[in-house]
Amino acid sequence: AAAPLASQTPDTATRSPLTAHRIRPLPAFFHSLLIPGWGQSKIDRKLTGALFVAWEGVTLGMTLKAAGEIRYLRRIGSDSSRIEDKKRERQDWLTLLAFNHLFSGLEAYVGSHLQDFPADVRFRPAPLGIGVQAIIPIRIP
């Protein structure tokens, strides 16, 4: 039997940039569910991850602010309707905090599925000037 030619053996020394930071969908989901933005950073979607981290900071800060205002209103003996309003506000911020975790996990899950999608998708005007054409390069192994 003849030995395979050098060009027929796969090169294992170099890795494609697409497979360098491969993460499976479920671990990406759970990373971002635990800490928003973590899964996005693992699949090299740093801007998206930073947006989830920023929103996490806003919602957490506003939750703590509302909790402090509830303590203050109780300390000064404010009427119960103002305290209940602040409790509802805190509950709203906690709900947004929970949704941020959920959406961050879902985005990391979908993003990990789309890691191999080509980044160089381009749009250009259609030939007759009506609509657009999308050019998506496809690699067939």
Side-chain angles (χ1 to χ4, degrees), residues 10-32:
D11 184 14
T12 58
T14 61
R15 293 177 64 182
S16 166
L18 294 176
T19 60
H21 298 293
R22 243 354 240 164
I23 184 170
R24 292 187 324 269
L26 278 179
F29 172 76
F30 287 118
H31 282 127
S32 279

Side-chain angles (χ1 to χ4, degrees), residues 9-140:
T9 59
D11 184 14
T12 58
T14 61
R15 293 177 64 182
S16 166
L18 294 176
T19 60
H21 298 293
R22 243 354 240 164
I23 184 170
R24 292 187 324 269
L26 278 179
F29 172 76
F30 287 118
H31 282 127
S32 279
L33 187 66
L34 182 63
I35 301 172
W38 188 13
Q40 285 80 7
S41 70
K42 286 193 168 282
I43 59 175
D44 206 26
R45 294 178 49 88
K46 300 206 180 349
L47 176 63
T48 307
L51 292 174
F52 280 115
V53 169
W55 185 245
E56 179 81 3
V58 168
T59 56
L60 188 59
M62 292 304 291
T63 301
L64 294 174
K65 178 182 173 276
E69 290 173 351
I70 291 169
R71 286 191 304 273
Y72 173 74
L73 290 173
R74 285 181 180 156
R75 190 172 63 235
I76 65 169
S78 183
D79 61 339
S80 62
S81 65
R82 288 185 63 191
I83 293 174
E84 289 303 315
D85 287 343
K86 281 295 169 186
K87 283 183 180 179
R88 280 192 292 275
E89 180 184 336
R90 183 185 61 186
Q91 186 178 21
D92 291 344
W93 284 112
L94 283 171
T95 303
L96 288 173
L97 186 71
F99 273 107
N100 185 49
H101 282 257
L102 178 64
F103 289 143
S104 178
L106 292 173
E107 199 283 330
Y109 180 82
V110 171
S112 66
H113 275 293
L114 297 176
Q115 287 180 67
D116 293 334
F117 194 77
D120 50 354
V121 175
R122 296 182 311 270
F123 290 97
R124 68 176 185 192
L128 298 177
I130 300 171
V132 295
Q133 290 179 332
I135 301 167
I136 303 172
I138 298 174
R139 281 179 249 129
I140 300 175

